[in-house]
Amino acid sequence: MKAMVAEEEGRGMQVARAQQGLRELILAGELPPGKRVSEPAMVERLGVSRTPVRLALERLAQEGLVAPGASGGFVVRAFTAADLADAIEVRGTLEGLAARLAAERRPTAAALAPLRDCVAALDRVVAQPVLSEADFDEYVRLNAFFHEELVRLAGSGVVARAVEQAAAQPFAGPSAFVQLHATEAAGRDTLVVAQEQHRLLLEAISRGEGARAEALAAEHARVAQRRLRAALSDRDKLTGLPGGSLLRLAAAWP
Amino acid sequence: MKAMVAEEEGRGMQVARAQQGLRELILAGELPPGKRVSEPAMVERLGVSRTPVRLALERLAQEGLVAPGASGGFVVRAFTAADLADAIEVRGTLEGLAARLAAERRPTAAALAPLRDCVAALDRVVAQPVLSEADFDEYVRLNAFFHEELVRLAGSGVVARAVEQAAAQPFAGPSAFVQLHATEAAGRDTLVVAQEQHRLLLEAISRGEGARAEALAAEHARVAQRRLRAALSDRDKLTGLPGGSLLRLAAAWP
DNA sequence: AAGAGTCAAGTTGCATGCATCTCCGCGATA
DNA sequence: TATCGCGGAGATGCATGCAACTTGACTCTT
């Protein structure tokens, strides 16, 4: 039974579709934490056969969204507040390593240009007295680019892979929880602080101050920790968030 | 065609066998770097069907031994000296994080007992004036346990996963290249230095000195860097090592 | 003789068949 | 009535079939 939906693209397309579809289903909370992900059910839901579903599950397991079940298959994972905090700390630590390596490489002004431009663009966004939701989206976009560029400046594929994997953990990405602030009055201030750190990080790297860059990057990730804590203090915020249903904040899973 | 070799055990056995077999084939250099890993060939060699072979390849890709090929399939990866150094640095950084977390948790004496015992056992091994090859094996065993226990003391599954993944990278494990020293006169001295770091690390953690523990763990990983450099300076040492053929030290792959 | 086009063999990615195992509910029994 | 055993539906893990694609060699042309 060939799928009848319009399908173009090439290799790995079925796996990618299954992976994306599963990610959405899980983050939307349609597959509750602790529940086994039934492959036949996903076949029906996603329109691909079991082979890509299984492969997608394997990759999502590496990503951390699902875990191998005790007796075969995969179960949707639940996350504690400590898990999220640790994942953010891991990312911050590795970004610290990347920042130090970038600084120690003494990048040329030309090599630093993209990061400089990115910081300038972020400045323009944050400088506005009032930020619309579109501004927050733009901030997220530029922030992601900043972090990518930071890692690129480290000049190490190995480090890049490590940071990527850390940032791919659920809720551990550089822009996790930023959206929550879009509706808050104090939301802009958080961005102001984070942007100051971006600026200092750029300065430290351009001056070759490795230790300072490392400490700044690690501390920068901790604003995500603060966002996390703020979000946890207000459960209503979480329920509206993609993946909010995955959080097991107090009790263990029955 | 059911395999005729004696096969017991349960689920995932075929995948595990394929993964182990592929690892050995690659590290033994039978599959040269840059070459595509032909699934049918592996089916013949390993005695399992294509499905487990493919899954094993996927997992080895995460492990870093193979990488997805440009047009499907997987190719055996090659490693530069910089790759190895970076992988070790990543592991050291994450172990530094684990050490800091362990120290900040102020573990009780009981919680520290396994690490204490391990250090004592290592002391007994290293204290000997002359080390046999069996002594080096014992050192590797105890050293691995030390690092596992260090991570366990951090008390974070997320951090543990991150460290595991970093240490699973080829040549990045805590005991990589140790075996090379077994035949060297100065080999024992390297172990003496490393063991001193173990001792200091234990002390820092037991005193709750987080920053010191972090720095010590990161520095401790750098003895592996030194071992790596020593090995690289003597190509003969590498060729005898498992995986030595994966190193592309000077020229790019033709 | 060198280069480009073409064809065939081999490979990959996906779909599906099949045996075993797990899990859930039902009924029998003390 | 509660507990234990059991049976069937369904799921998993592995094997294999199949079409599209890649690759490599062979041939034809210049």
Side-chain angles (χ1 to χ4, degrees):
Chain A
M1 173 182 67
K2 287 294 261 185
M4 273 147 197
V5 296
E7 46 172 333
E8 304 309 314
E9 319 307 336
R11 283 174 136 70
M13 190 44 55
Q14 311 301 92
V15 176
R17 193 139 57 106
Q19 194 172 356
Q20 183 59 18
L22 280 169
R23 217 191 326 245
E24 286 169 5
L25 284 178
I26 293 174
L27 289 179
E30 300 207 29
L31 304 175
K35 185 176 177 192
R36 295 174 46 138
V37 182
S38 162
E39 293 174 12
M42 294 307 112
V43 165
E44 205 168 355
R45 279 224 196 199
L46 303 172
V48 298
S49 86
R50 277 185 56 213
T51 305
V53 166
R54 173 173 289 264
L55 236 159
L57 283 170
E58 188 80 19
R59 295 189 186 170
L60 288 175
Q62 177 206 350
E63 207 170 292
L65 272 183
V66 301
S71 64
F74 293 89
V75 300
V76 178
R77 275 194 54 190
F79 298 91
T80 67
D83 287 336
L84 304 195
D86 290 345
I88 293 172
E89 193 69 18
V90 167
R91 172 175 66 83
T93 301
L94 290 173
E95 286 186 338
L97 170 61
R100 175 168 67 80
L101 292 180
E104 291 172 351
R105 288 200 143 210
R106 308 304 311 256
T108 64
L112 273 175
L115 201 66
R116 243 181 241 290
D117 296 345
C118 179
V119 169
L122 278 165
D123 265 334
R124 283 191 294 275
V125 171
V126 175
Q128 302 172 90
V130 151
L131 301 183
S132 68
E133 202 158 328
D135 290 327
F136 273 85
D137 288 349
E138 179 69 359
Y139 178 89
V140 166
R141 226 180 45 77
L142 289 169
N143 184 53
F145 180 82
F146 179 93
H147 286 259
E148 286 167 22
E149 190 60 25
L150 169 67
V151 168
R152 193 170 306 131
L153 282 170
S156 163
V158 172
V159 172
R161 258 184 71 88
V163 175
E164 263 170 45
Q165 289 205 357
Q169 299 297 307
F171 307 99
S175 303
F177 301 112
V178 168
Q179 311 286 2
L180 283 183
H181 290 306
T183 59
E184 277 187 11
R188 180 176 170 278
D189 290 350
T190 306
L191 267 51
V192 169
V193 170
Q195 171 60 3
E196 171 72 4
Q197 290 172 329
H198 288 155
R199 227 179 285 124
L200 296 177
L201 204 34
L202 168 61
E203 180 183 275
I205 291 174
S206 70
R207 291 191 190 173
E209 298 164 350
R212 181 182 172 213
E214 178 162 16
L216 277 169
E219 194 59 36
H220 180 56
R222 292 191 186 109
V223 304
Q225 301 269 15
R226 189 151 53 235
R227 287 198 208 106
L228 166 63
R229 272 195 295 277
L232 293 183
S233 69
D234 190 349
R235 300 219 33 166
D236 297 337
K237 289 183 184 171
L238 290 178
T239 54
L241 210 64
S245 62
L246 300 180
L247 303 182
R248 286 294 163 267
L249 302 180
W253 188 243
Chain B
M1 171 184 68
K2 289 293 263 183
M4 273 147 197
V5 297
E7 46 172 334
E8 304 308 315
E9 318 308 334
R11 283 177 136 69
M13 190 43 57
Q14 311 300 91
V15 176
R17 192 138 58 105
Q19 194 171 357
Q20 183 60 17
L22 279 170
R23 219 189 326 244
E24 285 169 5
L25 284 178
I26 293 174
L27 289 179
E30 300 208 31
L31 304 175
K35 186 174 177 193
R36 295 172 48 138
V37 183
S38 161
E39 293 174 12
M42 295 308 111
V43 165
E44 206 167 355
R45 279 225 196 198
L46 303 172
V48 298
S49 86
R50 277 185 56 211
T51 304
V53 166
R54 173 174 289 265
L55 237 159
L57 282 171
E58 188 80 19
R59 295 189 185 170
L60 288 176
Q62 177 205 350
E63 208 169 292
L65 272 183
V66 301
S71 64
F74 293 88
V75 299
V76 178
R77 276 194 53 188
F79 297 92
T80 67
D83 287 336
L84 305 194
D86 290 345
I88 293 172
E89 192 70 18
V90 166
R91 172 175 66 84
T93 301
L94 289 173
E95 286 186 339
L97 170 61
R100 176 167 66 80
L101 292 179
E104 291 172 350
R105 289 199 143 211
R106 309 302 313 255
T108 64
L112 273 175
L115 201 65
R116 244 181 239 291
D117 296 345
C118 179
V119 169
L122 277 165
D123 265 334
R124 283 192 294 275
V125 171
V126 174
Q128 301 172 91
V130 152
L131 301 182
S132 69
E133 202 157 329
D135 290 328
F136 273 86
D137 289 348
E138 180 70 358
Y139 178 88
V140 167
R141 224 179 47 76
L142 289 168
N143 184 54
F145 180 83
F146 179 92
H147 286 258
E148 286 166 22
E149 190 61 25
L150 170 67
V151 168
R152 193 169 307 131
L153 282 171
S156 163
V158 172
V159 172
R161 259 185 71 86
V163 174
E164 264 171 45
Q165 289 204 358
Q169 298 297 307
F171 306 99
S175 303
F177 300 112
V178 168
Q179 311 285 2
L180 283 183
H181 290 307
T183 59
E184 275 187 12
R188 179 176 170 280
D189 290 349
T190 307
L191 267 51
V192 169
V193 170
Q195 170 60 4
E196 171 73 3
Q197 291 173 329
H198 289 155
R199 227 178 286 123
L200 296 177
L201 204 34
L202 168 62
E203 180 183 275
I205 291 174
S206 71
R207 291 190 189 174
E209 299 165 349
R212 182 182 172 212
E214 179 163 17
L216 277 169
E219 194 60 35
H220 180 55
R222 292 193 184 107
V223 304
Q225 301 269 15
R226 189 151 53 236
R227 288 199 208 105
L228 166 62
R229 272 195 295 277
L232 293 184
S233 68
D234 189 350
R235 300 220 31 167
D236 297 338
K237 289 182 183 170
L238 289 177
T239 54
L241 210 64
S245 62
L246 300 180
L247 303 181
R248 285 294 163 266
L249 302 179
W253 188 243

